[in-house]
Amino acid sequence: APLTLFALEPRANGEGDESAGLAGCLPLPAVVATGSLLSVDTERVMLKKIILTGHPFRVHKRKAVVRWMFFSPEDIRWFKPVELFTKMGRIGHIVEPLGTHGYMKCIFDGPLMPHDTICMSLYKRVFPKWGRFRFAADEADAAAAEQLQAQAGKVATI
């Protein structure tokens, strides 16, 4: 079961609504973000999915000439092993490229409709972006360090 997470905005004593907190207490923090955590497994693979689409140029029963998915025969040969599918639910494969402009012959598991859209799913592994995270404790430590340096400077000049 996923773990529910809430990110709260840290506030100092003088900030925020006076009516938000109880009398004499610190103001309530504001919810900045919510989410859920499935796991912290380092072996989990994150994938990015894109769908290439093309349109039938000629249709004859289960066979079709598809255009506007690729624009060179080299690309068609590269992606030949990848399975095709249509928005109407047909499954197919690339047979061969036609000409030099990216047209290709495809065969499907049933009759194809001329107004259908041919799709190809492509997946790419992505890695999380590690940015610099800012925490309230870091800012408080930096402010305390500046105050110490300022006090040390005053003592040195006296």
Side-chain angles (χ1 to χ4, degrees):
L3 174 69
T4 304
L5 297 174
F6 293 100
L8 303 175
E9 179 183 21
R11 292 191 178 167
N13 287 340
E15 297 179 12
D17 292 338
E18 296 302 325
S19 61
L22 300 174
C25 295
L26 294 175
L28 298 175
V31 176
V32 177
T34 62
S36 59
L37 177 67
L38 291 176
S39 71
V40 288
D41 183 15
T42 58
E43 299 298 318
R44 185 181 186 107
V45 177
M46 293 178 11
L47 295 176
K48 179 180 179 181
K49 178 183 178 182
I50 63 165
I51 297 177
L52 298 180
T53 59
H55 298 281
F57 179 65
R58 296 263 192 256
V59 176
H60 186 264
K61 296 183 182 177
R62 296 179 353 148
K63 297 176 185 173
V65 174
V66 178
R67 64 179 175 177
W68 298 333
M69 184 179 288
F70 299 109
F71 296 97
S72 70
E74 293 82 25
D75 292 340
I76 296 170
R77 285 189 206 93
W78 179 265
F79 289 104
K80 189 174 178 179
V82 181
E83 187 177 73
L84 301 172
F85 65 94
T86 68
K87 299 250 179 165
M88 300 272 195
R90 296 288 176 207
I91 304 295
H93 296 283
I94 298 172
V95 176
E96 63 182 352
L98 288 177
T100 60
H101 297 289
Y103 289 37
M104 60 187 172
K105 278 187 190 176
C106 301
I107 190 163
F108 293 89
D109 62 348
L112 195 65
M113 303 298 287
H115 62 273
D116 209 348
T117 301
I118 291 89
C119 304
M120 176 186 288
S121 293
L122 298 176
Y123 300 90
K124 176 184 174 182
R125 183 172 182 181
V126 293
F127 296 93
K129 294 180 180 170
W130 297 102
R132 168 126 165 73
F133 298 106
R134 295 179 57 195
F135 295 103
D138 293 342
E139 293 173 3
D141 291 343
E146 288 176 12
Q147 288 178 354
L148 288 175
Q149 287 179 354
Q151 289 176 355
K154 286 180 184 176
V155 171
T157 57
I158 293 178

